[in-house]
Amino acid sequence: MTGIKTTGEKKLMLFSGRAHPELAKEVAAELGVGLVPTKAQDFANGEIYVRFQESVRGADCFLMQSHTAPINKWIMEQLIMLDALKRASARSISVIIPFYGYARQDKKHRGREPISARLMADLLKTAGADRIITMDLHADQVQGYFDGPVDHLFALPVLTNYIGSRVDREKLTVVSPDAGRVRVADRWADRLAAPLAIVHKRRDPDVANQVTVHEVVGNVKDRVCVLVDDMIDTGGTICAAADALFANGASDVIVAATHGVLSGPATDRLKNSRVSEVIFTNSLPTPGEVALDKITVLSMAPTIARAVREVFEDGSVTSLFEGDA
């Protein structure tokens, strides 16, 4: 006989960067494991140092980091953690990115522009990632930028189950805030068995570079409208769409999005809007100053944990969403 036999037992290890440790702790609790102790610190000049305090040799490693502000710092930390795992002889490395940074830069609109979403995928691969687990990408084609398996999770079941339990479905209309989100809104409409409407933005020829007219395609009069999007950044588009719905006779407007980026004036816009409720997932940490009564945050930890378990046990991640997405 040649060679050496081993027991063949697999080992799952879960790691977290410093961007959103609360979500990582929830996922760890769902899996029944502890987060691997990690020393991470910033040097005086801003450089990041990382060291794992347990051996990772031969382990299937899952590294969580959501790309929140300051986004470039947390992306760099994730790349450094990947490099450390690769050099420590991890058996496999899966990165869990609930919110994938730069996903909106998925193509060139004009000459001399980057395709930053592709650059992100290249950086992750070069640093040592074997697989990406992410959620509700801004554009589906970003999955094809990574040279390896990509598991694309959906918040649709969690969000629709919540809304379906709180709103009279007979009065419900799903609304896309612009033409680019129609496909997402259509999935929502199918899931909730509700009609679909679209807010169409038109530009006033007398006002340069400004959207001044919002036309609503579909019947929203006396309806409870659910505006759906993948993310809310500054809140301008979603609040303008809500105003258009109320102007067309909507009785109530609820906003639902997977990622609450909430940059700049977003908090004030949501606070001062007529929207009755804004629903996010915890894919990103919600800033403390956004503690508004109308904001609801739903946990995606059970979904992420189930996906991790399926990957670790060589199961099917797709089976988690069959019939939902």
Side-chain angles (χ1 to χ4, degrees), residues 15 32 35 50 60 68 95 128 144 162 164 166 174 182 187 232 247 277 305 311 322:
F15 304 79
L35 290 172
V50 170
D60 291 306
T68 186
V95 289
Y162 175 82
R166 294 175 60 86
V174 175
V182 171
R187 293 173 180 169
I232 296 178
E277 186 175 13
V311 170
E322 285 179 346

Side-chain angles (χ1 to χ4, degrees), residues 20-34:
H20 193 6
E22 297 81 11
L23 177 58
K25 290 175 183 176
E26 287 188 43
V27 173
E30 291 284 340
L31 289 169
V33 302

Side-chain angles (χ1 to χ4, degrees), residues 12 31 62 96 133 304-313:
L12 184 156
L31 289 169
F62 293 82
I96 306 169
I133 301 172
I304 295 172
R306 288 171 62 198
V308 168
R309 193 173 295 280
E310 291 293 340
V311 170
F312 179 66
E313 297 176 352

Side-chain angles (χ1 to χ4, degrees), residues 131-169:
R131 173 188 294 268
I132 293 176
I133 301 172
T134 189
M135 184 164 59
D136 281 347
L137 289 167
H138 187 70
D140 288 344
Q141 66 260 30
V142 173
Q143 297 175 76
Y145 296 163
F146 183 75
D147 187 17
V150 177
D151 295 305
H152 192 195
L153 311 183
F154 300 96
L156 178 76
V158 173
L159 292 168
T160 53
N161 287 344
Y162 175 82
I163 289 175
S165 67
R166 294 175 60 86
V167 179
D168 182 358
R169 298 198 186 192

Side-chain angles (χ1 to χ4, degrees), residues 203-212:
R203 300 187 182 276
D204 189 326
D206 297 325
V207 182
N209 301 319
Q210 186 173 341
V211 176
T212 57

